[in-house]
PDB file of all heavy atoms in Angstrom:
ATOM      1  N   SER M   1      18.838  81.912 -42.729  1.00 94.00           N
ATOM      2  CA  SER M   1      17.771  82.160 -43.540  1.00 94.00           C
ATOM      3  C   SER M   1      18.053  83.400 -44.537  1.00 94.00           C
ATOM      4  O   SER M   1      18.450  84.461 -44.011  1.00 94.00           O
ATOM      5  CB  SER M   1      16.517  82.557 -42.735  1.00 94.00           C
ATOM      6  OG  SER M   1      15.518  83.122 -43.523  1.00 94.00           O
ATOM      7  N   GLN M   2      18.007  83.136 -45.751  1.00 94.00           N
ATOM      8  CA  GLN M   2      18.250  84.210 -46.734  1.00 94.00           C
ATOM      9  C   GLN M   2      17.057  85.255 -46.657  1.00 94.00           C
ATOM     10  O   GLN M   2      17.335  86.439 -46.887  1.00 94.00           O
ATOM     11  CB  GLN M   2      18.237  83.603 -48.170  1.00 94.00           C
ATOM     12  CG  GLN M   2      19.505  82.713 -48.414  1.00 94.00           C
ATOM     13  CD  GLN M   2      20.800  83.407 -48.221  1.00 94.00           C
ATOM     14  OE1 GLN M   2      20.987  84.483 -48.891  1.00 94.00           O
ATOM     15  NE2 GLN M   2      21.654  82.887 -47.380  1.00 94.00           N
ATOM     16  N   ILE M   3      15.890  84.785 -46.327  1.00 96.00           N
ATOM     17  CA  ILE M   3      14.730  85.726 -46.278  1.00 96.00           C
ATOM     18  C   ILE M   3      14.963  86.667 -45.091  1.00 96.00           C
ATOM     19  O   ILE M   3      14.733  87.952 -45.241  1.00 96.00           O
ATOM     20  CB  ILE M   3      13.441  84.992 -46.061  1.00 96.00           C
ATOM     21  CG1 ILE M   3      13.250  84.048 -47.240  1.00 96.00           C
ATOM     22  CG2 ILE M   3      12.301  86.018 -45.955  1.00 96.00           C
ATOM     23  CD1 ILE M   3      13.229  84.650 -48.636  1.00 96.00           C
ATOM     24  N   CYS M   4      15.401  86.162 -43.959  1.00 95.00           N
ATOM     25  CA  CYS M   4      15.740  87.054 -42.757  1.00 95.00           C
ATOM     26  C   CYS M   4      16.876  88.005 -43.228  1.00 95.00           C
ATOM     27  O   CYS M   4      16.773  89.270 -42.778  1.00 95.00           O
ATOM     28  CB  CYS M   4      16.102  86.190 -41.560  1.00 95.00           C
ATOM     29  SG  CYS M   4      14.752  85.316 -40.808  1.00 95.00           S
ATOM     30  N   GLN M   5      17.776  87.640 -43.890  1.00 94.00           N
ATOM     31  CA  GLN M   5      18.912  88.594 -44.331  1.00 94.00           C
ATOM     32  C   GLN M   5      18.341  89.556 -45.210  1.00 94.00           C
ATOM     33  O   GLN M   5      18.695  90.837 -45.061  1.00 94.00           O
ATOM     34  CB  GLN M   5      20.052  87.773 -45.020  1.00 94.00           C
ATOM     35  CG  GLN M   5      20.752  86.784 -44.019  1.00 94.00           C
ATOM     36  CD  GLN M   5      21.842  85.974 -44.761  1.00 94.00           C
ATOM     37  OE1 GLN M   5      22.373  86.426 -45.720  1.00 94.00           O
ATOM     38  NE2 GLN M   5      22.125  84.841 -44.185  1.00 94.00           N
ATOM     39  N   GLN M   6      17.452  89.239 -46.170  1.00 95.00           N
ATOM     40  CA  GLN M   6      16.976  90.207 -47.112  1.00 95.00           C
ATOM     41  C   GLN M   6      16.063  91.261 -46.431  1.00 95.00           C
ATOM     42  O   GLN M   6      16.061  92.402 -46.782  1.00 95.00           O
ATOM     43  CB  GLN M   6      16.219  89.492 -48.279  1.00 95.00           C
ATOM     44  CG  GLN M   6      17.085  88.722 -49.227  1.00 95.00           C
ATOM     45  CD  GLN M   6      16.329  88.218 -50.379  1.00 95.00           C
ATOM     46  OE1 GLN M   6      15.452  88.915 -51.020  1.00 95.00           O
ATOM     47  NE2 GLN M   6      16.669  86.992 -50.774  1.00 95.00           N
ATOM     48  N   LEU M   7      15.415  90.769 -45.454  1.00 95.00           N
ATOM     49  CA  LEU M   7      14.471  91.662 -44.627  1.00 95.00           C
ATOM     50  C   LEU M   7      15.158  92.319 -43.445  1.00 95.00           C
ATOM     51  O   LEU M   7      14.547  93.110 -42.700  1.00 95.00           O
ATOM     52  CB  LEU M   7      13.293  90.836 -44.175  1.00 95.00           C
ATOM     53  CG  LEU M   7      12.347  90.262 -45.283  1.00 95.00           C
ATOM     54  CD1 LEU M   7      11.260  89.376 -44.601  1.00 95.00           C
ATOM     55  CD2 LEU M   7      11.709  91.396 -46.101  1.00 95.00           C
ATOM     56  N   ASN M   8      16.437  92.218 -43.341  1.00 94.00           N
ATOM     57  CA  ASN M   8      17.237  92.755 -42.252  1.00 94.00           C
ATOM     58  C   ASN M   8      16.677  92.365 -40.869  1.00 94.00           C
ATOM     59  O   ASN M   8      16.683  93.253 -39.993  1.00 94.00           O
ATOM     60  CB  ASN M   8      17.361  94.259 -42.456  1.00 94.00           C
ATOM     61  CG  ASN M   8      18.093  94.668 -43.718  1.00 94.00           C
ATOM     62  OD1 ASN M   8      19.116  94.128 -44.031  1.00 94.00           O
ATOM     63  ND2 ASN M   8      17.518  95.531 -44.508  1.00 94.00           N
ATOM     64  N   ILE M   9      16.282  91.194 -40.678  1.00 94.00           N
ATOM     65  CA  ILE M   9      15.787  90.791 -39.341  1.00 94.00           C
ATOM     66  C   ILE M   9      17.010  90.335 -38.589  1.00 94.00           C
ATOM     67  O   ILE M   9      17.699  89.383 -39.020  1.00 94.00           O
ATOM     68  CB  ILE M   9      14.759  89.684 -39.551  1.00 94.00           C
ATOM     69  CG1 ILE M   9      13.556  90.175 -40.336  1.00 94.00           C
ATOM     70  CG2 ILE M   9      14.341  89.091 -38.165  1.00 94.00           C
ATOM     71  CD1 ILE M   9      12.581  89.089 -40.635  1.00 94.00           C
ATOM     72  N   PRO M  10      17.230  90.858 -37.371  1.00 94.00           N
ATOM     73  CA  PRO M  10      18.466  90.553 -36.633  1.00 94.00           C
ATOM     74  C   PRO M  10      18.360  89.030 -36.152  1.00 94.00           C
ATOM     75  O   PRO M  10      17.324  88.513 -35.653  1.00 94.00           O
ATOM     76  CB  PRO M  10      18.395  91.405 -35.366  1.00 94.00           C
ATOM     77  CG  PRO M  10      17.531  92.594 -35.857  1.00 94.00           C
ATOM     78  CD  PRO M  10      16.420  92.042 -36.827  1.00 94.00           C
ATOM     79  N   ILE M  11      19.394  88.350 -36.253  1.00 92.00           N
ATOM     80  CA  ILE M  11      19.495  86.940 -35.842  1.00 92.00           C
ATOM     81  C   ILE M  11      20.664  86.890 -34.814  1.00 92.00           C
ATOM     82  O   ILE M  11      21.862  87.307 -35.017  1.00 92.00           O
ATOM     83  CB  ILE M  11      19.921  85.991 -37.046  1.00 92.00           C
ATOM     84  CG1 ILE M  11      18.772  86.098 -38.106  1.00 92.00           C
ATOM     85  CG2 ILE M  11      20.027  84.530 -36.496  1.00 92.00           C
ATOM     86  CD1 ILE M  11      17.480  85.623 -37.746  1.00 92.00           C
ATOM     87  N   HIS M  12      20.302  86.363 -33.697  1.00 91.00           N
ATOM     88  CA  HIS M  12      21.368  86.194 -32.528  1.00 91.00           C
ATOM     89  C   HIS M  12      21.893  84.827 -32.701  1.00 91.00           C
ATOM     90  O   HIS M  12      21.126  83.799 -32.792  1.00 91.00           O
ATOM     91  CB  HIS M  12      20.737  86.443 -31.230  1.00 91.00           C
ATOM     92  CG  HIS M  12      20.080  87.831 -31.045  1.00 91.00           C
ATOM     93  ND1 HIS M  12      20.897  88.875 -30.688  1.00 91.00           N
ATOM     94  CD2 HIS M  12      18.824  88.272 -31.201  1.00 91.00           C
ATOM     95  CE1 HIS M  12      20.057  89.923 -30.572  1.00 91.00           C
ATOM     96  NE2 HIS M  12      18.819  89.556 -30.975  1.00 91.00           N
ATOM     97  N   SER M  13      23.234  84.672 -32.658  1.00 90.00           N
ATOM     98  CA  SER M  13      23.807  83.327 -32.799  1.00 90.00           C
ATOM     99  C   SER M  13      25.019  83.172 -31.887  1.00 90.00           C
ATOM    100  O   SER M  13      25.642  84.142 -31.489  1.00 90.00           O
ATOM    101  CB  SER M  13      24.250  83.124 -34.257  1.00 90.00           C
ATOM    102  OG  SER M  13      25.246  84.121 -34.634  1.00 90.00           O
ATOM    103  N   GLN M  14      25.240  81.819 -31.533  1.00 88.00           N
ATOM    104  CA  GLN M  14      26.257  81.551 -30.661  1.00 88.00           C
ATOM    105  C   GLN M  14      26.755  80.172 -31.021  1.00 88.00           C
ATOM    106  O   GLN M  14      26.005  79.180 -31.009  1.00 88.00           O
ATOM    107  CB  GLN M  14      25.763  81.535 -29.167  1.00 88.00           C
ATOM    108  CG  GLN M  14      26.682  80.993 -28.188  1.00 88.00           C
ATOM    109  CD  GLN M  14      26.032  80.666 -26.834  1.00 88.00           C
ATOM    110  OE1 GLN M  14      25.048  81.456 -26.469  1.00 88.00           O
ATOM    111  NE2 GLN M  14      26.439  79.670 -26.115  1.00 88.00           N
ATOM    112  N   ALA M  15      28.130  79.998 -31.303  1.00 88.00           N
ATOM    113  CA  ALA M  15      28.660  78.756 -31.685  1.00 88.00           C
ATOM    114  C   ALA M  15      28.931  78.027 -30.347  1.00 88.00           C
ATOM    115  O   ALA M  15      29.394  78.575 -29.356  1.00 88.00           O
ATOM    116  CB  ALA M  15      29.901  78.920 -32.488  1.00 88.00           C
ATOM    117  N   TYR M  16      28.754  76.651 -30.274  1.00 86.00           N
ATOM    118  CA  TYR M  16      28.932  75.949 -29.057  1.00 86.00           C
ATOM    119  C   TYR M  16      30.298  75.307 -29.043  1.00 86.00           C
ATOM    120  O   TYR M  16      30.659  74.589 -27.994  1.00 86.00           O
ATOM    121  CB  TYR M  16      27.872  74.789 -29.004  1.00 86.00           C
ATOM    122  CG  TYR M  16      26.543  75.248 -28.548  1.00 86.00           C
ATOM    123  CD1 TYR M  16      25.432  75.054 -29.306  1.00 86.00           C
ATOM    124  CD2 TYR M  16      26.349  75.799 -27.285  1.00 86.00           C
ATOM    125  CE1 TYR M  16      24.154  75.489 -28.806  1.00 86.00           C
ATOM    126  CE2 TYR M  16      25.115  76.211 -26.852  1.00 86.00           C
ATOM    127  CZ  TYR M  16      24.046  76.046 -27.696  1.00 86.00           C
ATOM    128  OH  TYR M  16      22.789  76.503 -27.200  1.00 86.00           O
ATOM    129  N   ASP M  17      31.074  75.372 -30.050  1.00 86.00           N
ATOM    130  CA  ASP M  17      32.444  74.760 -30.073  1.00 86.00           C
ATOM    131  C   ASP M  17      32.233  73.207 -29.985  1.00 86.00           C
ATOM    132  O   ASP M  17      33.105  72.543 -29.376  1.00 86.00           O
ATOM    133  CB  ASP M  17      33.414  75.330 -28.995  1.00 86.00           C
ATOM    134  CG  ASP M  17      34.848  74.858 -29.303  1.00 86.00           C
ATOM    135  OD1 ASP M  17      35.147  74.690 -30.468  1.00 86.00           O
ATOM    136  OD2 ASP M  17      35.629  74.634 -28.347  1.00 86.00           O
ATOM    137  N   GLN M  18      31.125  72.695 -30.453  1.00 90.00           N
ATOM    138  CA  GLN M  18      30.776  71.318 -30.306  1.00 90.00           C
ATOM    139  C   GLN M  18      30.325  70.865 -31.690  1.00 90.00           C
ATOM    140  O   GLN M  18      29.780  71.651 -32.428  1.00 90.00           O
ATOM    141  CB  GLN M  18      29.652  71.072 -29.305  1.00 90.00           C
ATOM    142  CG  GLN M  18      30.153  71.343 -27.847  1.00 90.00           C
ATOM    143  CD  GLN M  18      28.997  71.046 -26.918  1.00 90.00           C
ATOM    144  OE1 GLN M  18      27.845  71.212 -27.281  1.00 90.00           O
ATOM    145  NE2 GLN M  18      29.327  70.780 -25.722  1.00 90.00           N
ATOM    146  N   THR M  19      30.524  69.564 -31.921  1.00 94.00           N
ATOM    147  CA  THR M  19      30.031  68.920 -33.181  1.00 94.00           C
ATOM    148  C   THR M  19      29.286  67.729 -32.770  1.00 94.00           C
ATOM    149  O   THR M  19      29.621  66.931 -31.892  1.00 94.00           O
ATOM    150  CB  THR M  19      31.196  68.547 -34.038  1.00 94.00           C
ATOM    151  OG1 THR M  19      31.888  69.694 -34.560  1.00 94.00           O
ATOM    152  CG2 THR M  19      30.780  67.796 -35.310  1.00 94.00           C
ATOM    153  N   ALA M  20      28.249  67.451 -33.545  1.00 93.00           N
ATOM    154  CA  ALA M  20      27.358  66.249 -33.259  1.00 93.00           C
ATOM    155  C   ALA M  20      27.838  65.110 -34.296  1.00 93.00           C
ATOM    156  O   ALA M  20      27.874  65.368 -35.582  1.00 93.00           O
ATOM    157  CB  ALA M  20      25.883  66.564 -33.489  1.00 93.00           C
ATOM    158  N   ILE M  21      28.189  64.042 -33.763  1.00 96.00           N
ATOM    159  CA  ILE M  21      28.476  62.883 -34.634  1.00 96.00           C
ATOM    160  C   ILE M  21      27.266  62.004 -34.596  1.00 96.00           C
ATOM    161  O   ILE M  21      26.763  61.567 -33.554  1.00 96.00           O
ATOM    162  CB  ILE M  21      29.740  62.097 -34.091  1.00 96.00           C
ATOM    163  CG1 ILE M  21      30.935  62.985 -34.248  1.00 96.00           C
ATOM    164  CG2 ILE M  21      29.892  60.779 -34.858  1.00 96.00           C
ATOM    165  CD1 ILE M  21      32.253  62.330 -33.677  1.00 96.00           C
ATOM    166  N   VAL M  22      26.711  61.696 -35.789  1.00 95.00           N
ATOM    167  CA  VAL M  22      25.412  61.097 -35.946  1.00 95.00           C
ATOM    168  C   VAL M  22      25.624  59.756 -36.733  1.00 95.00           C
ATOM    169  O   VAL M  22      26.195  59.760 -37.789  1.00 95.00           O
ATOM    170  CB  VAL M  22      24.387  62.123 -36.615  1.00 95.00           C
ATOM    171  CG1 VAL M  22      23.019  61.285 -36.764  1.00 95.00           C
ATOM    172  CG2 VAL M  22      24.297  63.310 -35.907  1.00 95.00           C
ATOM    173  N   THR M  23      24.995  58.730 -36.220  1.00 96.00           N
ATOM    174  CA  THR M  23      24.946  57.495 -36.960  1.00 96.00           C
ATOM    175  C   THR M  23      23.879  56.578 -36.386  1.00 96.00           C
ATOM    176  O   THR M  23      23.266  56.915 -35.363  1.00 96.00           O
ATOM    177  CB  THR M  23      26.341  56.719 -36.862  1.00 96.00           C
ATOM    178  OG1 THR M  23      26.297  55.566 -37.662  1.00 96.00           O
ATOM    179  CG2 THR M  23      26.680  56.361 -35.374  1.00 96.00           C
ATOM    180  N   ASN M  24      23.743  55.454 -36.949  1.00 96.00           N
ATOM    181  CA  ASN M  24      22.846  54.389 -36.335  1.00 96.00           C
ATOM    182  C   ASN M  24      23.748  53.303 -35.744  1.00 96.00           C
ATOM    183  O   ASN M  24      24.774  52.973 -36.354  1.00 96.00           O
ATOM    184  CB  ASN M  24      21.932  53.746 -37.442  1.00 96.00           C
ATOM    185  CG  ASN M  24      20.694  54.737 -37.747  1.00 96.00           C
ATOM    186  OD1 ASN M  24      20.389  55.559 -36.925  1.00 96.00           O
ATOM    187  ND2 ASN M  24      20.229  54.499 -38.992  1.00 96.00           N
ATOM    188  N   ILE M  25      23.312  52.759 -34.631  1.00 97.00           N
ATOM    189  CA  ILE M  25      24.115  51.795 -33.910  1.00 97.00           C
ATOM    190  C   ILE M  25      23.304  50.563 -33.609  1.00 97.00           C
ATOM    191  O   ILE M  25      22.110  50.708 -33.107  1.00 97.00           O
ATOM    192  CB  ILE M  25      24.780  52.383 -32.700  1.00 97.00           C
ATOM    193  CG1 ILE M  25      25.970  51.673 -32.301  1.00 97.00           C
ATOM    194  CG2 ILE M  25      23.840  52.700 -31.610  1.00 97.00           C
ATOM    195  CD1 ILE M  25      26.947  52.446 -31.354  1.00 97.00           C
ATOM    196  N   THR M  26      23.824  49.421 -33.738  1.00 97.00           N
ATOM    197  CA  THR M  26      23.082  48.126 -33.445  1.00 97.00           C
ATOM    198  C   THR M  26      23.604  47.591 -32.079  1.00 97.00           C
ATOM    199  O   THR M  26      24.836  47.605 -31.821  1.00 97.00           O
ATOM    200  CB  THR M  26      23.304  47.114 -34.511  1.00 97.00           C
ATOM    201  OG1 THR M  26      22.834  47.643 -35.775  1.00 97.00           O
ATOM    202  CG2 THR M  26      22.485  45.863 -34.200  1.00 97.00           C
ATOM    203  N   VAL M  27      22.675  47.168 -31.263  1.00 97.00           N
ATOM    204  CA  VAL M  27      23.035  46.528 -29.987  1.00 97.00           C
ATOM    205  C   VAL M  27      22.556  45.078 -29.891  1.00 97.00           C
ATOM    206  O   VAL M  27      21.905  44.650 -30.783  1.00 97.00           O
ATOM    207  CB  VAL M  27      22.408  47.403 -28.816  1.00 97.00           C
ATOM    208  CG1 VAL M  27      23.006  48.777 -28.854  1.00 97.00           C
ATOM    209  CG2 VAL M  27      20.941  47.425 -28.949  1.00 97.00           C
ATOM    210  N   ASP M  28      22.964  44.409 -28.869  1.00 96.00           N
ATOM    211  CA  ASP M  28      22.676  42.952 -28.699  1.00 96.00           C
ATOM    212  C   ASP M  28      21.433  42.647 -27.901  1.00 96.00           C
ATOM    213  O   ASP M  28      21.157  41.522 -27.547  1.00 96.00           O
ATOM    214  CB  ASP M  28      23.860  42.249 -28.170  1.00 96.00           C
ATOM    215  CG  ASP M  28      24.148  42.602 -26.711  1.00 96.00           C
ATOM    216  OD1 ASP M  28      23.580  43.561 -26.164  1.00 96.00           O
ATOM    217  OD2 ASP M  28      24.995  41.983 -26.042  1.00 96.00           O
ATOM    218  N   GLN M  29      20.626  43.665 -27.604  1.00 95.00           N
ATOM    219  CA  GLN M  29      19.435  43.472 -26.871  1.00 95.00           C
ATOM    220  C   GLN M  29      18.341  44.392 -27.351  1.00 95.00           C
ATOM    221  O   GLN M  29      18.596  45.452 -27.972  1.00 95.00           O
ATOM    222  CB  GLN M  29      19.651  43.553 -25.368  1.00 95.00           C
ATOM    223  CG  GLN M  29      19.991  44.934 -24.968  1.00 95.00           C
ATOM    224  CD  GLN M  29      20.394  44.916 -23.472  1.00 95.00           C
ATOM    225  OE1 GLN M  29      21.035  43.999 -22.952  1.00 95.00           O
ATOM    226  NE2 GLN M  29      19.921  45.998 -22.715  1.00 95.00           N
ATOM    227  N   SER M  30      17.056  44.094 -26.992  1.00 95.00           N
ATOM    228  CA  SER M  30      15.988  44.998 -27.433  1.00 95.00           C
ATOM    229  C   SER M  30      16.046  46.350 -26.677  1.00 95.00           C
ATOM    230  O   SER M  30      16.491  46.404 -25.497  1.00 95.00           O
ATOM    231  CB  SER M  30      14.578  44.299 -27.097  1.00 95.00           C
ATOM    232  OG  SER M  30      13.553  45.187 -27.314  1.00 95.00           O
ATOM    233  N   HIS M  31      15.613  47.379 -27.377  1.00 96.00           N
ATOM    234  CA  HIS M  31      15.676  48.699 -26.764  1.00 96.00           C
ATOM    235  C   HIS M  31      14.512  48.948 -25.693  1.00 96.00           C
ATOM    236  O   HIS M  31      14.633  49.852 -24.963  1.00 96.00           O
ATOM    237  CB  HIS M  31      15.656  49.844 -27.769  1.00 96.00           C
ATOM    238  CG  HIS M  31      14.471  49.754 -28.699  1.00 96.00           C
ATOM    239  ND1 HIS M  31      13.238  50.012 -28.230  1.00 96.00           N
ATOM    240  CD2 HIS M  31      14.337  49.628 -30.062  1.00 96.00           C
ATOM    241  CE1 HIS M  31      12.386  49.870 -29.299  1.00 96.00           C
ATOM    242  NE2 HIS M  31      13.077  49.707 -30.397  1.00 96.00           N
ATOM    243  N   GLN M  32      13.470  48.128 -25.795  1.00 95.00           N
ATOM    244  CA  GLN M  32      12.352  48.269 -24.829  1.00 95.00           C
ATOM    245  C   GLN M  32      11.809  49.626 -24.812  1.00 95.00           C
ATOM    246  O   GLN M  32      11.363  50.106 -23.794  1.00 95.00           O
ATOM    247  CB  GLN M  32      12.764  47.751 -23.395  1.00 95.00           C
ATOM    248  CG  GLN M  32      13.265  46.332 -23.446  1.00 95.00           C
ATOM    249  CD  GLN M  32      13.609  45.899 -22.003  1.00 95.00           C
ATOM    250  OE1 GLN M  32      13.374  46.542 -21.008  1.00 95.00           O
ATOM    251  NE2 GLN M  32      14.203  44.623 -21.995  1.00 95.00           N
ATOM    252  N   ASN M  33      11.703  50.299 -25.976  1.00 97.00           N
ATOM    253  CA  ASN M  33      11.134  51.614 -26.148  1.00 97.00           C
ATOM    254  C   ASN M  33      11.746  52.647 -25.204  1.00 97.00           C
ATOM    255  O   ASN M  33      11.011  53.596 -24.743  1.00 97.00           O
ATOM    256  CB  ASN M  33       9.605  51.526 -26.026  1.00 97.00           C
ATOM    257  CG  ASN M  33       8.988  50.727 -27.031  1.00 97.00           C
ATOM    258  OD1 ASN M  33       8.605  49.567 -26.738  1.00 97.00           O
ATOM    259  ND2 ASN M  33       8.923  51.234 -28.202  1.00 97.00           N
ATOM    260  N   THR M  34      13.041  52.528 -24.997  1.00 97.00           N
ATOM    261  CA  THR M  34      13.768  53.416 -24.040  1.00 97.00           C
ATOM    262  C   THR M  34      14.678  54.289 -24.841  1.00 97.00           C
ATOM    263  O   THR M  34      15.429  53.854 -25.686  1.00 97.00           O
ATOM    264  CB  THR M  34      14.503  52.639 -22.952  1.00 97.00           C
ATOM    265  OG1 THR M  34      13.519  51.828 -22.117  1.00 97.00           O
ATOM    266  CG2 THR M  34      15.192  53.611 -21.991  1.00 97.00           C
ATOM    267  N   ALA M  35      14.680  55.617 -24.580  1.00 96.00           N
ATOM    268  CA  ALA M  35      15.648  56.476 -25.088  1.00 96.00           C
ATOM    269  C   ALA M  35      16.528  56.944 -23.914  1.00 96.00           C
ATOM    270  O   ALA M  35      16.187  57.012 -22.778  1.00 96.00           O
ATOM    271  CB  ALA M  35      14.928  57.766 -25.683  1.00 96.00           C
TER     272      ALA M  35
END
């Protein structure tokens, strides 16, 4: 946030050394409203 930076509000941050790969995927059966 640029606003937090301008107001000098401390932000605590931690990198996870992980990346999210995001896409949509089609399957051969109904999902039955399950995640």
Side-chain angles (χ1 to χ4, degrees):
S1 166
Q2 295 298 308
I3 301 305
C4 287
Q5 292 178 29
Q6 290 188 41
L7 293 175
N8 295 315
I9 297 171
I11 302 294
H12 301 276
S13 60
Q14 169 191 329
Y16 281 121
D17 194 31
Q18 294 178 333
T19 295
I21 294 177
V22 180
T23 186
N24 286 335
I25 198 161
T26 302
V27 298
D28 66 350
Q29 64 187 41
S30 174
H31 57 61
Q32 298 181 10
N33 297 105
T34 300

